[in-house]
Amino acid sequence: MDKQTAIRYLEARAAYFYALSDKIWENAEIRFGEKQSAQDYAAFRKAEGFTVTVGLAGLKTALRAEWGSGKPVIGFLGEYDALAGLSQKAGVAVKEPLENDGNGHGCGHNLLGVGALMGAVGLKHALETEGRPGTVVFFGCPAEEGGSGKTFMARKGCFSQLDAAFSWHPNNCNMMPPGPVLANDVVRYSFTGKASHAAAAPEAGRSALDALELMNIGVQFLREHMPSTARIHYAITDAGGSSPNIVQPHASALYQIRAPFAPELAELYERVNNIARGAALMTDTQVDIRFLKGTSNTVLIPALDEVMYSNMCEIPNPVEHAEDMDFAQEIVKTQNPADRLPGHAFDLKAKPYCKAGNVPVPGSSDTGDVSWVCPVSQCGISTWPVGTAAHSWQAVACGKSDFAHRGTLYAGQILAATAIDVCNNPEIIAQAWEQLKEKTGGKPYQCPIPPEITPELLESETT
């Protein structure tokens, strides 16, 4: 199959896809609540001739869109959830929310989902044009941010029929991941004590807030004695009340615990649990440890990553022709000291590809769980100016820009071209599976979320 046919086809229809991306941006919905976004994708896929199923693995806003028949079965992983509290006006280089405390696409999932969609449409066009066998499957994956949508989907076998899967992520440069993203657990620690008058009878009280503070201090000391590639973050979600003259009878925090690989994460998780138990013992309180969700580290597959990187280098990057470079420069200025501004707004040359893939990436994604089920390749593509961080108002402000649109087109072309290369060379898929078996030790996928944890429970616990 000719890759150029798909590349030109996507470029000719780019405005059609940009409109969907903008619509998702304008209707920013957070985890498990992406009802309109899922409907928009379902309608779009049906118009493209795909058979669409909405509602997978207990997730009402997950969808599967399929076209074609036979082997290979190629998956594309799309996302469309936003982040709470990141509302921001598009095209404005100062912090100015559209809605106070509203949602915003601070991780660029409005772009991510559409770029993956373009990859699927590009492969479909190539297969259809040349009458080749093959099955194209686009997955609409909700709740990547704080919900582990793909993890629940992987637990239910949604990806088990795939020969390979592809995705990408908005970024401030063009690159293949230098290593795996971190495995991640999210845990709620809730302390229960005994209320009492803080002045008249403090000895009768047992402070849950004291216990929580002692736990947080214990974790601070733990940081010196854990692997440097691990991460622990927390947010106090219940400080026990607003009256200082009452001994606080309840307090809780939400913790995220990350490590490069599952065994390290399991050990670190237990160490944090012991700190929580110790804090409860010191304060004569009780602690409830509730595991909410987890994601696995990614398994990098050089056989696929090399093909994707080759296409990244070969396909012309359209971002350099963006029409709003002045806006990009203004965004750069908001994130760099005036005396250290970079001489350019974008970093468009592909970063060197490291086949070793042994430098852990300090973040987490439920794409990791898909990568344990089938070979996956995912790249980062520049849709944000130099230095722009994900989960920032600057990233939201860029979400409807010309350069973000062009970066999304570039990503979609890379995904389509990579999938076509894989279909043209079946030996690549065979090699990818050998590498997956080698890196996982031939062990079957084990979901990090216990079977008793359901998406409904997670939604109620975290929203």
Side-chain angles (χ1 to χ4, degrees), residues 97-175:
L98 271 170
E99 176 187 356
N100 290 333
D101 299 321
N103 306 328
H105 274 283
C107 212
H109 290 180
N110 63 302
L111 308 171
L112 191 164
V114 169
L117 183 71
M118 295 176 84
V121 170
L123 176 59
K124 171 186 177 287
H125 177 72
L127 292 171
E128 194 171 29
T129 299
E130 302 196 20
R132 292 277 296 272
T135 304
V136 184
V137 186
F138 173 84
F139 289 96
C141 307
E144 191 276 335
E145 300 288 359
S148 295
K150 295 189 200 71
T151 309
F152 285 109
M153 295 167 73
R155 190 172 74 178
K156 286 291 188 179
C158 292
F159 310 107
S160 59
Q161 82 287 1
L162 298 180
D163 291 307
F166 301 103
S167 192
W168 73 292
H169 203 287
N171 202 0
N172 56 30
C173 64
N174 300 316
M175 62 181 293

Side-chain angles (χ1 to χ4, degrees), residues 176-190:
M176 300 303 298
V181 300
L182 306 178
N184 175 31
D185 286 342
V186 176
V187 190
R188 186 180 299 281
Y189 295 91
S190 301

Side-chain angles (χ1 to χ4, degrees), residues 205-270:
R206 300 292 182 267
S207 175
L209 182 59
D210 285 355
L212 179 58
E213 290 192 286
L214 285 168
M215 177 191 172
N216 293 341
I217 291 170
V219 171
Q220 301 288 36
F221 282 104
L222 172 63
R223 297 180 198 281
E224 183 183 1
H225 306 286
M226 68 185 197
S228 59
T229 50
R231 299 286 188 273
I232 303 177
H233 335 284
Y234 69 91
I236 297 176
T237 56
D238 174 19
S242 58
S243 298
N245 65 334
I246 299 174
V247 175
Q248 291 88 346
H250 53 82
S252 62
L254 196 63
Y255 264 74
Q256 284 195 322
I257 307 167
R258 308 181 199 250
F261 303 105
E264 294 174 315
L265 179 60
E267 180 182 351
L268 192 58
Y269 169 58
E270 193 54 38

